[in-house]
Amino acid sequence: MSRARLFFSKYGLDVLIVIAAVESAISTARRDDPGHPTGPLLLFEVLAVSAIVLTLLARRRFPFGAPAVTWLWSAALSFVDGLLIVDKAGLFLAGMGAALLLGNLPRDRQARLGLAIVLGGAAIVIYNDPNHARGDVIFTPVLFAIGWLVGYALRERTEQTKAAEERASRAEREREAAARVAVAEERGRIARELHDVVAHAVSVMVLQVGAVRHRMPETDTEDRETLTNVEQAGRTALAEMRRLLNAMRHDDDELELLPHPGLGNLDALVDDVRAAGLPVRLEISGEPVALPPGLDLSAYRILQEGLTNALKHARASQAEVEVQYTATELRLEVRDDGPGGPSTDAGVGHGLVGIRERVRIFGGGMSAGTSRTGGFVLRAQLPLDHGAR
């Protein structure tokens, strides 16, 4: 059924055109009116009416030419035989379809020319009919003009639909571009922070190696030389990391002279949010463990972003922060009772992108969305064994 539906959705109109051509050919061959043609002339008329209808099969390649030829060929054949075109259902449907196609042309000039062809062709066909009534010369062209108007109206709707699709597509591309920029910016920020953490660790290592080297006896030349090489390599690596860090900073980035925060600064963060007007309940469960600096910083940033969202965008009256230490992972949760959920503006969108990137770096998982009881919930899990490696 799905294949048949797909076939008729794509070729259904072509099938109708072929059926109309067959009907027109049969009607022409079975004519019994006085003076109906016979012999070669009858064969010519059968082929001619079939060609009139089948011309519409070329409508995709010749959107103007195919329906225009249908009407022009019909008008020309009416001079050969005035009864050839009239009173055939297949030819009537072909003429109405051609009128609709001419009205549906995207160019106004072609569409108006098509209307003139329809009106002129219909008038000629009716005028050449020896049995036509006086009013048919006006009524019949008007009838096909209505078909042209239907096509014209559908064209306007089609253009509006295409314009809406283009706007939606452009908006989607802009959102995707903004998301890519947000990811790149957040990755740069995370990289700068982690560079700071690693640079501090390398500095400590270099100082400790230097201290050990100075305490060693002068006679232990081989070990002193080894430690000197380690110290020199550490200083070189530190210089390169600082150079890379400076290259990653933007011109408007401020130098961070204070140590990066961690979960040890969580009480101060909660106090700041309370001072801003949002009551916050903090709950810490499990046995706290010493976290690697990078993991500690990322956990703090995740909770900071969750509280910032609850304060600025969720229109919440209360928020809850839960930090749970387990044997294998650190679980973080920020919940609020706001009715609006997260904002879709760039700030919050970028914030969630940042959380996702931080969680991904440490091999964790996250979820963010509206809870069943209302409000917005942000959850993140950071593996402790992964962060320690």
Side-chain angles (χ1 to χ4, degrees):
M1 290 298 295
S2 60
R3 291 183 178 180
R5 189 180 297 111
L6 180 62
F7 175 82
F8 281 105
S9 65
K10 188 174 183 179
Y11 301 106
L13 186 55
D14 294 332
V15 173
L16 292 178
I17 291 173
V18 173
I19 294 175
V22 172
E23 189 278 335
S24 300
I26 294 175
S27 298
T28 302
R30 299 178 62 181
R31 283 177 57 183
D32 56 359
D33 56 279
H36 65 275
T38 60
L41 182 57
L42 177 60
L43 178 60
F44 167 76
E45 291 189 355
V46 170
L47 296 177
V49 296
S50 301
I52 290 175
V53 182
L54 293 177
T55 300
L56 294 178
L57 294 175
R59 68 193 182 279
R60 295 186 182 90
R61 187 172 183 181
F62 304 102
F64 173 78
V69 167
T70 296
W71 271 106
L72 293 174
W73 187 229
S74 298
L77 286 177
S78 68
F79 287 101
V80 177
D81 186 346
L83 296 175
L84 179 61
I85 305 301
V86 297
D87 297 333
K88 291 180 177 61
L91 287 175
F92 176 82
L93 292 176
M96 189 62 70
L100 190 147
L101 291 173
L102 290 171
N104 198 244
L105 293 172
R107 297 180 180 178
D108 279 338
R109 186 174 181 179
Q110 287 185 339
R112 291 169 183 171
L113 178 59
L115 176 60
I117 293 174
V118 170
L119 292 175
I124 291 173
V125 170
I126 296 301
Y127 182 80
N128 288 332
D129 178 11
N131 300 323
H132 74 271
R134 182 176 300 178
D136 290 344
V137 179
I138 297 176
F139 173 76
T140 301
V142 170
L143 179 62
F144 286 103
I146 293 175
W148 181 92
L149 287 174
V150 172
Y152 190 82
L154 291 176
R155 185 196 73 168
E156 294 293 328
R157 183 175 180 180
T158 301
E159 290 180 351
Q160 292 176 359
T161 302
K162 289 182 178 179
E165 291 177 352
E166 289 178 358
R167 289 194 298 269
S169 178
R170 183 167 57 252
E172 182 65 23
R173 290 194 299 269
E174 291 175 354
R175 283 194 295 268
E176 291 177 356
R180 288 193 296 268
V181 171
V183 169
E185 291 179 350
E186 191 61 30
R187 286 177 178 176
R189 179 188 177 192
I190 296 172
R192 290 192 296 271
E193 292 179 349
L194 294 181
H195 272 78
D196 289 339
V197 172
V198 176
H200 174 72
V202 173
S203 298
V204 173
M205 292 167 57
V206 169
L207 292 175
Q208 291 177 344
V209 169
V212 172
R213 180 176 60 83
H214 284 294
R215 289 199 299 266
M216 294 184 65
E218 295 290 341
T219 56
D220 198 351
T221 57
E222 184 176 352
D223 290 340
R224 286 176 62 88
E225 183 178 356
T226 300
L227 292 179
T228 300
N229 293 335
V230 172
E231 185 179 0
Q232 183 61 37
R235 294 185 185 277
T236 301
L238 184 60
E240 295 297 331
M241 291 182 63
R242 286 174 176 169
R243 186 177 296 110
L244 178 60
L245 180 60
N246 291 331
M248 295 180 63
R249 293 188 188 277
H250 298 293
D251 294 337
D252 55 351
D253 285 346
E254 297 181 358
L255 293 176
E256 299 184 17
L257 301 179
L258 297 177
H260 287 297
L263 292 183
N265 306 97
L266 189 55
D267 288 333
L269 173 62
V270 170
D271 290 340
D272 290 341
V273 176
R274 288 170 180 165
L278 178 64
V280 180
R281 183 179 68 87
L282 174 61
E283 180 180 347
I284 300 177
S285 60
E287 184 66 27
V289 296
L291 301 175
L295 181 64
D296 195 20
L297 171 61
S298 291
Y300 177 88
R301 294 298 190 201
I302 291 171
L303 296 177
Q304 183 184 42
E305 179 59 35
L307 287 174
T308 301
N309 177 60
L311 179 64
K312 292 185 177 181
H313 306 287
R315 302 191 300 277
S317 60
Q318 184 177 358
E320 300 178 1
V321 176
E322 295 184 11
V323 180
Q324 182 180 7
Y325 292 88
T326 69
T328 59
E329 65 181 9
L330 176 66
R331 298 174 183 173
L332 308 173
E333 180 175 311
V334 180
R335 180 192 302 270
D336 63 62
D337 60 354
S343 172
T344 57
D345 61 16
V348 177
H350 290 193
L352 292 180
V353 168
I355 293 175
R356 187 173 292 107
E357 289 300 312
R358 291 181 184 276
V359 170
R360 187 184 64 83
I361 288 175
F362 291 96
M366 68 158 289
S367 62
T370 305
S371 66
R372 295 181 179 178
T373 58
F376 189 76
V377 180
L378 170 66
R379 295 187 179 93
Q381 302 84 35
L382 301 174
L384 295 180
D385 57 341
H386 184 92
R389 287 199 293 267

